[in-house]
């Protein structure tokens, strides 16, 4: 007999089955299907009836399946649980069950009628099928139904075939339109690319291409492949167009960067940026050579007529160096005027204009060329995407092409330097390069002013290139050119100065100032100062430049040119001193009205004699020796000339030699006649020292000699007061020497003869006492020693009386010697 547990298991299974039926039919199963209730006794024993009623309201002793399951669950799992706890648990379970059933219950209520109709239809069909199944029919019971349905389908196809066909076509068209609408970007892209290229909207083209490439670059759809191939064809044409525009010259740096960035975004093959750099390099070289050819042809065609006019208002204008204003130290020479025509400032020579144009061309092209390279190096030419994708390859290209670009810059610099050398320093160009860089058929050399202007232009060019941070080793050729031009400018300026000084003799006006000078020494000094002023900027060393005098050869050449300049002027003075009278114009001799001129400026017009020219030149020589040459040496030293001591020594020696030669010539002209007149005058009238009358005064020959000496004094004093002592001292020396010789030649003197000779010697000596030299004093002493001594006091008294009488009678004539004595005492 089965146990209670086994029996309960059977009941539970049955309960679960009937519970399912109950859920479907919403009813209680018939009593006939209910199991027996042997468990009721056990339940009643476990739980009192009243407690069960409280747990399961409406519950009777005959359990339903639901109550049976619940009761069994209590017995099995909560037999030890108190009633109160079970009551609370039941309450919670009911609350949760109500919440879960509300949603499903509402859904079932809303469609309850549909469910009933479906149930009825299915029941009817089932009953019909059951009934038909009892009859004997051919085939399956559903065959007839299938045939009916097939006939219905065929009839429907016949009726609606055309409509369905039109519907399929419309669907196909609609699908095609949807595809066109969805992918119209790709289908319209070739035409849009062409339109945007024509408008220059390259950014739009690139953006559309990138979008199409990302969407359809790897498509397998044939239509898409076809249209994408059209896009690639037009993009390739755009690459070629942009590359052509990139390599066009001239073009701005902005356009070059833009085209390079476009080509980078379009992933153009090769290295367009480097191609642009190469094209720009070739373009600069072509421009430079074309510039030279243009100016050479212009020079050969119509020289001087179409030379560019230099704009003095621009920064590139030359420093106009006018003649120096007359300062306090150079007041003399107010009549000095340069022989140059001032129009030189406004007519630019072809070669100077060429250098200006060439440097301007380089400065307009090279900065952008250099900036293009810098952008190429730092990657700013490329877009961020292209830079990231090709950064490794680009870095490799930059390293490989650094030397190539350095060669490009050096080639441009060498071309610039050689073209300038060909124009200004043709001898520094090798014969193989004369045709390419030379060709200037000019015979005359540029002046120092224009060379200085060219040097300033090239210096500004060098500074501008340095500002671009171009390495100094690339610009060294320009520094070498500047140094050579500076040296050449110094040489040419000194040579032109020498030529100007040669012409100074033509400008001598022979107008003497109060100091016995003409304007010639001042003109000479002014000419040299003016030349040195022109060289001031050339001799100054800018940053990075070497001294002009760093080479010993240059020092020697400049020193020799400086000596030549001074010696040329000395030669001019010598020419002026020996110039024939016929070659001189009648000039006005300016005389100081305050000077005691014996001629009293009565004759305002008279021609200069050779003696007067000698005196004027001598006066100028003295001034040159004491002032001008020393001033010039200071100017040379101020401008860092080398070998100044040698220049001064050689020039001073030449000047002193000329001065002495001219002085001897003048003394010979003036002293010889006086000396020659002494002997005939002494022995005039058959005078005999042995047989003569007692002396009554100084004889006329001596008075005549003194008058001649006074005439020399007047002539010299009129020209230069400073020359008077020097000239008269030499004249007195000559006269005293001759007088001593004559006295020593006398065999014997009578008493009267000795007194007469002593009177005349003493008269001459006392008159020219202020101009006596040791030589003349010795001659007078020798002359007196040749005479017999005075034996009596009467003779001495007579001698003194006669001397006083002579001085008194000749007071007016001898006043010049007294004035000279007072002047010498003051000095």
């Amino acid at each position: 007999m089965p146990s209670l547990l086994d029996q309960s298991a059977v009941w539970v299974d049955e309960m679960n089955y009937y519970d399912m039926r109950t859920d479907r039919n919403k009813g209680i199963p018939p009593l006939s299907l209910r199991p027996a209730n042997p468990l009721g006794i056990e339940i009643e024993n476990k739980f009192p009836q009243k407690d069960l009623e409280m747990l399961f309201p409406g519950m009777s002793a005959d359990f339903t399946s639901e109550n049976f399951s619940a009761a069994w669950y209590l017995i099995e799992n909560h037999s030890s649980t108190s009633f109160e706890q079970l009551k609370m648990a039941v309450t919670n379970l009911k609350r949760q069950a109500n919440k879960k059933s509300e949603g499903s219950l509402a859904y079932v209520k809303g469609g309850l009628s549909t469910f009933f109709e479906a149930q009825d239809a299915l029941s009817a069909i089932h009953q019909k099928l059951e009934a038909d199944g009892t009859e004997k029919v051919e085939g399956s019971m559903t065959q007839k139904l299938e045939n009916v349905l097939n006939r219905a389908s065929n009839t429907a196809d016949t009726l609606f075939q055309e409509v369905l066909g039109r519907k399929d076509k419309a669907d196909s068209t609609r699908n095609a339109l949807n595809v066109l609408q969805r992918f119209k970007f790709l289908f319209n892209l070739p035409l849009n690319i062409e339109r945007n290229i024509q408008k220059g909207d390259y950014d739009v083209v690139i953006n559309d291409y990138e979008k199409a490439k990302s969407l359809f670059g790897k498509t397998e759809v044939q239509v898409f492949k076809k249209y994408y191939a059209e896009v690639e064809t037009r993009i390739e044409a755009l690459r070629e167009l942009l590359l052509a525009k990139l390599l066009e010259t001239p073009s701005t740096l902005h356009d070059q960067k833009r085209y390079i960035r476009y080509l980078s975004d379009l992933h153009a093959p090769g290295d367009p940026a480097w191609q642009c750099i190469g094209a720009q390099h070739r373009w600069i070289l072509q421009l430079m050579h074309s510039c030279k050819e243009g100016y050479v042809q212009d020079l050969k065609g119509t020289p001087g007529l179409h030379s560019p006019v230099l704009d003095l208002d621009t920064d590139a204008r030359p420093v106009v160096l006018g003649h120096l204003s007359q300062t306090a130290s150079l007041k003399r020479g107010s009549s000095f005027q340069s022989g140059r025509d001032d129009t030189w400032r406004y007519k630019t020579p072809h070669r100077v204009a060429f250098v200006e144009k060439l440097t301007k061309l380089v400065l307009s092209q090279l900065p952008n060329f250099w900036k293009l390279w810098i952008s190429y190096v730092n990657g700013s030419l490329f877009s961020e995407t292209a830079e990231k994708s090709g950064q490794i390859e680009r870095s490799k290209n930059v390293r490989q092409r650094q030397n190539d670009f350095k060669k490009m810059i050096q080639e441009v610099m060498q071309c610039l330097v050689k073209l300038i050398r060909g124009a200004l320093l043709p001898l520094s160009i090798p014969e193989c390069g004369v045709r390419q860089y030379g060709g200037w058929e000019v015979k005359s050399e540029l002046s120092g002013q224009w060379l200085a202007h060219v040097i300033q232009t090239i210096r500004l060019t060098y500074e501008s290139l340095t500002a671009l941070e171009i390495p100094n080793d690339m610009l060294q050729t320009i520094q070498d050119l500047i140094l050579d031009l500076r040296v050449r400018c110094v040489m040419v300026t000194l040579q032109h100065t020498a030529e100007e000084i040669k012409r100074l003799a033509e400008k001598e006006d022979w107008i003497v100032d109060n100091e016995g000078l003409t304007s010639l020494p001042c003109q000479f000094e002014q000419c040299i100062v003016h030349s040195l002023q022109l060289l001031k900027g050339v001799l100054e060393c800018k940053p990075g430049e070497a001294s002009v005098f760093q080479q010993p050869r240059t020092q020697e050449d400049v020193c020799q040119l400086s000596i030549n300049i001074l010696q040329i002027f000395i030669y001019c003075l010598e020419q002026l001193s020996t110039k024939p009278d016929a070659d001189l114009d009648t000039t006005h001799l300016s005389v100081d009205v305050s000077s005691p001129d014996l001629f009293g400026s009565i004759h305002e017009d008279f021609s200069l004699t050779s003696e007067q020219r000698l005196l004027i030149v001598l006066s100028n020589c003295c001034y040159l020796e004491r002032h001008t040459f020393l001033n010039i040496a200071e100017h040379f030293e101020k401008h860092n000339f080398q070998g100044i001591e040698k220049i001064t020594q050689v020039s001073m020696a030449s000047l002193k030699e000329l001065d002495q030669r001219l002085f001897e010539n003048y003394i010979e002209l003036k002293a010889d006649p006086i000396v020659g007149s002494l002997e005939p005058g002494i022995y005039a009238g058959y005078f005999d020292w042995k047989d003569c009358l007692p002396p009554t005064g100084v004889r006329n020959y001596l008075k005549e000699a003194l008058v001649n000496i006074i005439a020399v004094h007047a002539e010299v004093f009129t020209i230069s007061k400073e020359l008077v002592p020097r000239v008269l001292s030499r004249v007195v020396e000559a006269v005293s020497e001759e007088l001593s010789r004559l006295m020593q030649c006398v065999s014997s003197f009578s008493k009267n003869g000795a007194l007469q000779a002593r009177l005349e010697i003493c008269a001459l000596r006392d008159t020219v006492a202020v101009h006596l030299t040791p030589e003349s004093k010795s001659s007078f002493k020798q002359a007196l020693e040749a005479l017999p001594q005075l034996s009596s006091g009467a003779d001495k008294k007579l001698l003194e009386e006669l001397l006083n009488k002579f001085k008194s009678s000749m007071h007016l004539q001898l006043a010049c010697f007294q004035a000279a004595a007072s002047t010498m005492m003051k000095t």
Side-chain angles (χ1 to χ4, degrees), residues 733 736-737 740 774-784:
E733 286 181 3
S736 63
E737 183 180 355
S740 174
E775 289 78 8
S776 59
K777 289 179 181 180
S778 177
S779 297
F780 279 116
K781 182 179 179 181
Q782 292 175 3
L784 290 174

Side-chain angles (χ1 to χ4, degrees), residues 482-505:
I482 293 175
L483 179 60
D484 292 346
L485 285 176
R486 291 168 64 202
V487 173
R488 188 59 191 163
C489 181
V490 172
M491 300 296 182
V492 170
T493 301
L494 294 179
Q495 291 172 358
H496 287 184
T497 302
E499 294 296 328
E500 288 185 2
I501 290 175
K502 284 182 181 179
R503 295 189 291 269
L504 284 181

Side-chain angles (χ1 to χ4, degrees), residues 275-331:
Q275 291 178 329
C276 177
I277 291 174
Q280 194 69 15
H281 170 249
R282 293 188 294 272
W283 168 248
I284 294 174
L285 294 178
Q286 180 183 350
L287 283 179
M288 295 168 70
H289 285 286
S290 299
C291 179
K292 189 267 292 186
E293 293 298 331
Y295 275 92
V296 170
Q297 294 300 325
D298 185 48
L299 181 62
K300 292 180 179 179
T302 53
L305 295 179
H306 301 289
S307 60
V309 177
L310 184 62
D311 185 8
L312 296 180
D313 294 331
T314 61
D315 293 335
R317 66 181 182 273
V319 179
V320 180
L321 296 174
H323 299 300
L324 294 177
S325 60
Q326 297 177 355
T327 59
S329 61
L330 299 177
K331 288 182 179 178

Side-chain angles (χ1 to χ4, degrees), residues 253 256 276-277 368-376 381:
L253 179 63
Q256 291 172 350
C276 177
I277 291 174
N368 289 339
F369 183 59
W370 179 259
K371 292 176 183 177
L372 184 63
W373 164 252
I374 297 299
S375 300
Y376 179 78
L381 283 177

Side-chain angles (χ1 to χ4, degrees), residues 405-436:
F405 183 78
K406 183 177 180 180
K407 291 179 181 179
M408 289 182 181
I409 292 292
Q410 289 176 341
E411 186 176 357
V412 173
M413 294 298 104
Q414 290 175 358
C415 181
L416 171 66
V417 169
K418 289 181 179 179
L419 288 174
I420 296 177
R421 286 185 180 274
L424 304 179
L425 302 173
L427 298 180
S428 64
I429 296 294
E431 294 183 1
C432 59
V434 171
R435 183 175 182 180
Q436 183 179 5

Side-chain angles (χ1 to χ4, degrees), residues 620-630 652 655-656:
N620 287 338
C621 286
C622 293
Y623 184 82
L624 289 171
E625 182 180 355
R626 293 194 304 268
H627 300 285
T628 305
F629 277 18
L630 298 178
M652 283 291 189
L655 181 63
K656 289 179 180 179

